[in-house]
Structure formats: structure tokens, C-alpha cells
Amino acid sequence: IESASVCGYGQISDGDRNPFALSSRGLGELLLDASGRGVKKIVVGLGGTCTLDAGIGMLQALGARFVGGERLLDPISSADFSGMAPLCPVEVWYDTAAPMCGENGPVKLFGLQKGLEDGQMPAAEAWMGHVSQLYSKARGVDAANLPGAGAAGGIGGALAAVLGADMFPGGGKVVELSGMRQFIIESGDALEAVVIGEGHFDAQTLTGKLPAVVAITARDAAAHKPLVVCAAGIADDLQQDLFDKVISISEGAGPLQEAMQKPVAMKNLKASVKLAMR
């Protein structure tokens, strides 16, 4: 189950980014439906969600009760998980190793892109910390500091601490299932370069997201050190040594909406990568 398929950015317009109104309830409904069909295990992919509700909507769909509200900044005083529907085993593949709280948590890392304003950040961080404590009491899991718990606006913490889901870095799973590592090993000296794509290359990219995992795999598995290039739609200027070169394929390419059109993006991508290889 892909979380972004029901609560991702593709489900809303840019003007509708409102973390106080958007909910992860749809993901809980999918979990409930899938488990009721007799499946033996559910794998949930976390990433690209527009929500920041710490997975409360998802848990409510499964029968959890929260006293005081259900949305970001609602004064939630307590939570009752005793009436939740039983599920088959759940496995989580998260896109970022962010915990639920702190400088690398979902509020600090993703709050602004999800629609928070600077002045709302401290209250949102305190709220997320309070919810993580409620979750931690369920199974004794430290949701505030658990890697991946902050993925998808805190849904990871709800899945791990309340549902007891097994947590795995999604990038590693993709590399494993795709056969990428073995391909790189078998390529030997013939592998000259690895080119990785990214939408927006920023600090989030380096927190365990797929481009970073692919870069690490290329360096670790290759017989020699290939050139590792990240071609991004937008690229922030960051101090990093994981990639030999990071290029923005849309820099100077006109309005963003025009740059995102497939023919334009393909043209810009080819030209940028060709220039980088030279």
C-alpha cells in the first residue's frame, strides 16, 4: 500500500496544502480493507504525503479513540487503542529516517512544504512530541527518536509504536528488489557513471531517501569509484560529499510548470546530464 496514493501531494492542488485539515484516515481504511481480504502481510510505503497528523486519522479508521481532537494542534489529552481492529502483520518501508521529534523530525524538516508557517512551527513540534508520548505508551517504543517514525508526517510512528509494525529503510528495499547492487558488482570496470534522479535535491535527500541510498550502493559495490551524478528538478546548494555533481535540470528553463512538462523536462535532462559528463 502506497501512503501517497491516498494522502499524497498528487491528491491535492498546491493551494490546498493545509496540515490542519488533511488527514491520513484513508490509509487506515486501506489497511482495514486489505487485512479483511485475508492477506498474510501488508507492506506500507511511506513518503510523499501532504499530511502532518502523526497518523491519527489512520489509527481512528482502525478504531482508536483520541480525546480532545484528531488534527494537528488539537488539544489531545489521551488515546485509547484497546478497541482497534486486529490486522495481519504490517511491514513499513520509509523514505526518510526522520524520527517523530527534533531537528530532523517531520515538523522541522517537512513542515513548511506541507503548509506550516514559521510562527506555527514551535507549537506543531510540541504537539508532535506530545502525540509521540501517547504512542510510546502503547508498546514501549520510543516513537520520538525511532528512525522512520517521522516519515509521512509521523505516520511511521503510529505504525511502529501502536501497531507494532516492522520498520525498514525503503531505499535499501528498492535496491535489494531491483537487483541494482548485483548489477553494479557484475558491471565491474565497465561502470563509468551512475546518474540518479530527484525532484528537489535538498537536506531531506540526504536523510536516507532513495537517491542517497543508490549513491552509497554505487560507491560500496562498484569495483572502482564511478562518477555519481544527481540530476534534480531543483537543486539546493548544500555541503555534501556523497555525489560528485548535483545538477538542476530546470535552472534557467523558464516557469516551473513549463519545466515540469514531460517534453521540456526530457530535453533539459538530456542537455544537463550531457554537460555534466563532459
Side-chain angles (χ1 to χ4, degrees):
I1 296 175
E2 181 186 17
S3 58
S5 68
V6 284
C7 50
Y9 291 110
Q11 311 302 313
I12 62 171
S13 63
D14 285 344
D16 292 329
R17 296 193 183 193
N18 182 356
F20 302 102
L22 300 173
S23 169
S24 60
R25 175 176 286 273
L27 179 59
E29 293 174 350
L30 285 184
L31 289 171
L32 195 60
D33 179 78
S35 191
R37 294 174 184 267
V39 299
K40 296 180 180 179
K41 181 177 74 172
I42 297 174
V43 176
V44 180
L46 293 186
T49 67
C50 53
T51 56
L52 200 58
D53 71 342
I56 286 179
M58 174 193 70
L59 294 176
Q60 284 185 318
L62 297 173
R65 296 180 60 207
F66 292 84
V67 177
E70 60 185 74
R71 310 284 182 170
L72 178 63
L73 296 190
D74 281 352
I76 299 171
S77 59
S78 62
D80 181 3
F81 307 119
S82 62
M84 292 180 60
L87 296 179
C88 63
V90 177
E91 189 173 292
V92 173
W93 297 4
Y94 54 82
D95 68 330
T96 172
M100 275 191 78
C101 305
E103 290 300 316
N104 293 317
V107 172
K108 298 290 183 67
L109 278 183
F110 315 122
L112 293 178
Q113 77 179 49
K114 289 177 185 284
L116 278 181
E117 298 178 2
D118 283 324
Q120 298 168 330
M121 301 282 276
E125 176 66 19
W127 182 89
M128 190 68 69
H130 173 63
V131 174
S132 74
Q133 292 178 355
L134 296 178
Y135 289 174
S136 297
K137 293 177 182 178
R139 294 175 179 265
V141 175
D142 182 11
N145 299 298
L146 179 70
I155 293 176
L159 288 167
V162 179
L163 296 182
D166 294 323
M167 305 286 285
F168 297 95
K173 286 290 188 179
V174 171
V175 167
E176 174 188 329
L177 288 174
S178 66
M180 185 184 302
R181 180 181 295 276
Q182 189 62 31
F183 173 80
I184 290 174
I185 293 174
E186 293 175 355
S187 297
D189 292 338
L191 181 66
E192 298 181 13
V194 175
V195 182
I196 307 160
E198 172 70 309
H200 185 171
F201 183 92
D202 57 13
Q204 300 175 27
T205 305
L206 305 177
T207 63
K209 290 199 170 184
L210 184 59
V213 176
V214 173
I216 293 171
T217 302
R219 297 199 184 284
D220 290 349
H224 63 292
K225 185 179 178 181
L227 180 70
V228 181
V229 176
C230 183
I234 302 172
D236 291 356
D237 185 17
L238 301 176
Q239 283 291 111
Q240 58 85 32
D241 55 10
L242 191 56
F243 300 90
D244 293 302
K245 191 170 186 62
V246 178
I247 55 178
S248 172
I249 71 168
S250 59
E251 188 171 339
L256 181 59
Q257 291 301 320
E258 179 182 336
M260 290 176 67
Q261 294 177 10
K262 188 172 181 178
V264 178
M266 288 294 291
K267 178 182 177 182
N268 292 339
L269 176 61
K270 290 178 181 179
S272 299
V273 172
K274 187 175 181 180
L275 182 63
M277 291 306 179
R278 287 178 176 173

